[in-house]
Amino acid sequence: MKTAILSALDQALIAFTGYPALRRALGNEQTTTHLLAIGKAAYRMAEVAAQALPSDRLATCIVLTKYGFYPEDHLDRTFSPVLLEAGHPLPDANSLKHSRFILDWMQQIPAQDQLIVLLSGGTSALFEAPRRDISLQELIQRNDLLLRSGLDITQINQARQMLSQVKSGQAAHHFSGKKLRVYLLSDVPANDPALIGSGPFFLPEIDNHSIIADNAAFLRSLATPLHKALPELPLRLAKRFVDLELNSFAKALACFAIKAPPGIYLWGGELTLKVKGQGRGGRLSHLALSFLNELKGKAGLSFIAFASDGNDNLPELAGAYVDSQSYLDLQAENVDIPALLSAFDSYPPLKKIKAIIPGHYTGCNVNDVFILIKTASSCP
């Protein structure tokens, strides 16, 4: 079953990251265009945009992404943007250096040309010019506190906007060309364009932002290959974006799993977790271990937590796949699950029992996916 589920995830990612809405929007463009893509999905979004634009319409292209977030082994040699890399989830010196380069570049775009901006999650850390009274070190410290605070992404981005000279639409003022359009891959609840990437180009008085895809769209893409992989089980797709506190969700999920009829259950969202200590792991590995701790080997259940960007905090971690056997395997290894959860050290034990989904580049970033599979053999 594990192989089938992971294959379904791969199929969904391939189909989803074709970004058909972006292709349709740019296919008939007649104006000389400059592309700027920022975020963890920036490289793939820019690649699709460059392919969609008429060959004589693309003048320049800049991609700013997280270190290593591009398909290094499969680079399209016909696509050669200016590729910039910076820190995430915390900004670094390159975030500031490259952001200044981008702002200067925007000011040099000819007045008759247009700028198309492609934004995805991760933009808040990558694209930054702090207020003059805030040093880089203070910026990093404040961002670190925010990420460990247990606040949700909306609250974090609202706080980040208070520290910046480019967020909340301020970056848009550096462009004075013919037209500015922004296409967004959403990683926030309700797809608010003012909050995606902290809204660097969002001006309420100008209707120029378009959502090209979001978490709900990815779940729909995933539903088809999942149903084909397990046709005997009904599939139920949740409509609500899950942004609960992680431990509360783990308890609720375990309770639901015991009572639910057999089937495949899909949720999407981004959980909050107040992290303490220096343990190794991510939100999703912590969730998977918490789920196991709640169920304690209940038969007939499998759970998958997957980061759509292929990175659950650690580069080598994209999520976890656990089932009834996983708990027994941890018991055989004499693993103290509650102690590891308290230490936020979920990666080592799950790696030991081969429950980790390896980190990898996906070209996507629309939050997380939670898959519960209950077979007919589940215990009541």
Side-chain angles (χ1 to χ4, degrees):
M1 184 183 292
K2 180 177 181 179
T3 300
I5 300 307
L6 295 183
S7 175
L9 277 167
D10 286 341
Q11 292 174 52
L13 282 167
I14 290 170
F16 185 78
T17 57
Y19 299 127
L22 183 59
R23 290 183 186 275
R24 289 193 297 270
L26 302 182
N28 296 316
E29 189 55 60
Q30 298 301 315
T31 305
T32 299
T33 300
H34 303 260
L35 280 180
L36 171 62
I38 309 174
K40 288 190 281 184
Y43 188 92
R44 179 56 183 159
M45 292 177 73
E47 186 177 36
V48 168
Q51 292 168 354
L53 285 166
S55 58
D56 61 342
R57 296 295 88 189
L58 179 58
T60 58
C61 178
I62 293 178
V63 171
L64 173 58
T65 193
K66 179 178 178 177
Y67 295 113
F69 262 54
Y70 51 90
E72 191 170 2
D73 295 335
H74 304 283
L75 290 177
D76 181 354
R77 301 304 174 187
T78 65
F79 176 59
S80 54
V82 175
L83 180 58
L84 308 174
E85 300 172 75
H88 182 277
L90 298 175
D92 64 3
N94 276 337
S95 301
L96 275 58
K97 173 185 174 183
H98 295 329
S99 298
R100 173 46 56 191
F101 173 81
I102 288 169
L103 294 175
D104 292 343
W105 167 78
M106 287 170 52
Q107 292 172 344
Q108 296 169 17
I109 293 175
Q112 70 273 18
D113 294 356
Q114 73 168 338
L115 172 62
I116 289 178
V117 179
L118 313 171
L119 296 183
S120 57
T123 294
S124 294
L126 295 164
F127 187 53
E128 183 59 284
R131 288 186 346 227
R132 295 184 185 279
D133 60 329
I134 298 176
S135 68
L136 173 59
Q137 189 58 39
E138 183 178 358
L139 180 71
I140 292 171
Q141 290 173 349
R142 291 202 189 186
N143 273 269
D144 189 40
L145 287 172
L146 285 169
L147 293 172
R148 291 174 173 270
S149 66
L151 297 174
D152 62 35
I153 187 63
T154 297
Q155 295 166 320
I156 289 172
N157 281 356
Q158 287 172 337
R160 283 166 161 166
Q161 289 171 343
M162 303 297 291
L163 311 175
S164 178
Q165 295 187 83
V166 293
K167 294 172 171 51
S168 297
Q170 295 180 84
H173 298 301
H174 291 261
F175 176 71
S176 58
K178 181 177 181 180
K179 185 190 297 184
L180 170 63
R181 288 191 290 163
V182 183
Y183 295 95
L184 306 158
L185 188 62
S186 177
D187 69 334
V188 302
N191 299 339
D192 186 348
L195 295 175
I196 299 169
S198 301
F201 295 91
F202 180 75
L203 298 172
E205 66 273 17
I206 302 175
D207 183 18
N208 65 347
H209 280 52
S210 302
I211 305 292
I212 62 163
D214 60 6
N215 182 268
F218 181 67
L219 293 183
R220 292 193 295 270
S221 293
L222 178 58
T224 299
L226 270 182
H227 182 65
K228 288 182 179 178
L230 299 168
E232 71 280 7
L233 293 175
L235 188 146
R236 296 173 174 85
L237 180 61
K239 295 181 180 179
R240 178 188 170 184
F241 185 95
V242 182
D243 54 359
L244 304 173
E245 193 277 328
L246 187 148
N247 295 305
S248 298
F249 181 65
K251 292 179 184 295
L253 184 65
C255 182
F256 174 84
I258 293 171
K259 297 177 180 179
I264 306 168
Y265 300 88
L266 277 180
W267 296 267
E270 187 164 308
L271 304 174
T272 61
L273 180 65
K274 190 170 184 177
V275 178
K276 300 177 182 177
Q278 300 299 318
R280 299 190 72 224
R283 279 193 304 252
L284 302 184
S285 60
H286 190 92
L287 174 63
L289 193 60
S290 298
F291 181 74
L292 287 179
N293 189 51
E294 293 293 331
L295 285 174
K296 294 181 169 51
K298 183 73 69 173
L301 295 167
S302 299
F303 177 65
I304 302 91
F306 177 72
S308 64
D309 64 358
N311 183 200
D312 181 26
N313 188 45
L314 303 176
E316 60 269 39
L317 173 63
Y321 182 110
V322 295
D323 54 24
S324 308
Q325 183 61 40
S326 301
Y327 183 82
L328 301 177
D329 291 343
L330 290 172
Q331 294 297 101
E333 295 285 347
N334 296 313
V335 170
D336 186 340
I337 298 177
L340 289 172
L341 287 171
S342 296
F344 296 87
D345 201 25
S346 55
Y347 176 75
L350 292 177
K351 185 176 186 297
K352 184 177 289 187
I353 64 168
K354 297 180 171 57
I356 292 298
I357 301 173
H360 57 288
Y361 172 78
T362 65
C364 181
N365 186 26
V366 287
N367 309 103
D368 303 324
V369 178
F370 315 115
I371 309 170
L372 174 68
I373 300 172
K374 184 172 184 177
T375 64
S377 60
S378 299
C379 293

